[in-house]
Amino acid sequence: MEFIRYYLHQSLNRNRDSGSCRGIENNQKKPYNERGLRFSSLVQLNADNWKRGVLKMRDYENINLRHENREKPRAYYIPYDTAEKALAGVKEDSAYYCSLNGTWRFKHFERDIDVPEEISSWDQIDVPSCWQLRGYGKPVYTIVNYPHPVDPPYMPDDNECGVYNRDFIISDTWGGRQTYIVFEGVSSSLYLYINGRYAGKSQGSHMQAEFNITSFVSKGINQVTVKVLK
């Protein structure tokens, strides 16, 4: 699923716990990827090779850069403005919570490198949803061979991308508090922009991704854009 659920929330005191994620193994034995590189050649490359530019690694292929500006995983909770609301436990009633579920502007691209700096025309898509089940791209399921060339950490050049965009409002009651945006599941990686400014990235399909966007937002209407890679 591209998005499971996500929301904005705020808090001043925060406790953090460690989180974990799991990977998927496969045993496909294709020796080449789309760039014609053998597995063995990757192992033999050293730091000097990279510095000389033998291979140019995209940031989402860098296993040492799994996230940027993402908060550390922590215990799940929603802040409330009154003790009564907290005891009731209905998060939608909190003055410090805003769900972003609903209809978003959306644009699908066959390759992430085809995304322009500005998108002039948009489709619409419901969130949460899976874009492959909304008529974009092709759903892939296999129990035999992996459907893409396997040459970690490199990805196929034809990597689908979906760009999501919508407005949200920061009310006066949120003044002076920290503002966080939380993604509860994005497959497989996201790049976050708030009001046109890059705010961070995360890779980890089924783990929570939280970003402090306090310095990016202001009272009134704000805009969030999320670039999602398949």
Side-chain angles (χ1 to χ4, degrees):
M1 296 180 66
E2 307 311 325
F3 285 80
I4 298 176
R5 186 173 76 249
Y6 47 95
Y7 54 86
L8 282 167
H9 78 266
Q10 300 187 326
S11 68
L12 294 178
N13 299 314
R14 312 173 60 243
N15 296 320
R16 294 169 176 170
D17 291 336
S18 60
S20 63
C21 60
R22 62 180 182 179
I24 299 176
E25 296 181 354
N26 65 79
N27 58 1
Q28 186 178 1
K29 297 182 179 180
K30 290 184 178 181
Y32 297 97
N33 70 356
E34 293 182 356
R35 303 174 191 175
L37 299 172
R38 297 185 67 91
F39 290 157
S40 59
S41 67
L42 294 177
V43 177
Q44 295 167 2
L45 289 173
N46 56 35
D48 291 335
N49 294 133
W50 292 108
K51 291 178 181 179
R52 288 197 298 267
V54 174
L55 296 176
K56 186 175 181 180
M57 177 179 285
R58 293 169 286 206
D59 68 337
Y60 56 82
E61 296 172 326
N62 186 348
I63 60 175
N64 296 314
L65 185 64
R66 306 301 295 172
H67 56 83
E68 188 173 22
N69 298 334
R70 191 185 73 192
E71 298 292 301
K72 293 181 179 180
R74 62 180 181 86
Y76 180 101
Y77 79 100
I78 298 295
Y80 289 87
D81 50 309
T82 69
E84 292 75 16
K85 291 181 180 179
L87 290 172
V90 181
K91 60 188 177 184
E92 288 80 8
D93 292 340
S94 173
Y96 304 136
Y97 171 94
C98 175
S99 173
L100 294 181
N101 288 346
T103 301
W104 284 57
R105 292 179 284 269
F106 178 76
K107 193 70 173 180
H108 176 264
F109 298 90
E110 293 296 331
R111 303 185 304 171
D112 62 295
I113 59 175
D114 293 333
V115 178
E117 291 187 7
E118 294 186 9
I119 299 175
S120 57
S121 63
W122 297 88
D123 299 330
Q124 290 189 334
I125 196 169
D126 53 315
V127 172
S129 68
C130 176
W131 78 49
Q132 285 84 10
L133 299 181
R134 295 296 184 269
Y136 301 96
K138 296 180 180 179
V140 176
Y141 176 79
T142 178
I143 58 174
V144 182
N145 291 322
Y146 203 66
H148 308 294
V150 178
D151 193 4
Y154 297 101
M155 302 293 294
D157 293 328
D158 293 338
N159 189 13
E160 288 183 51
C161 176
V163 181
Y164 295 77
N165 176 276
R166 68 161 289 167
D167 298 331
F168 63 94
I169 296 176
I170 298 293
S171 66
D172 293 338
T173 59
W174 289 22
R177 300 177 66 89
Q178 298 291 302
T179 303
Y180 298 85
I181 186 168
V182 179
F183 299 86
E184 291 194 349
V186 180
S187 179
S188 61
S189 65
L190 72 92
Y191 293 83
L192 173 65
Y193 301 84
I194 301 294
N195 293 325
R197 298 167 55 197
Y198 174 70
K201 64 164 287 187
S202 178
Q203 290 178 247
S205 299
H206 302 291
M207 66 180 296
Q208 187 182 80
E210 180 181 22
F211 300 88
N212 187 332
I213 59 173
T214 306
S215 62
F216 295 87
V217 298
S218 58
K219 292 181 181 179
I221 299 176
N222 295 264
Q223 189 174 94
V224 55
T225 301
V226 186
K227 177 182 175 183
V228 179
L229 301 184
K230 180 179 178 181

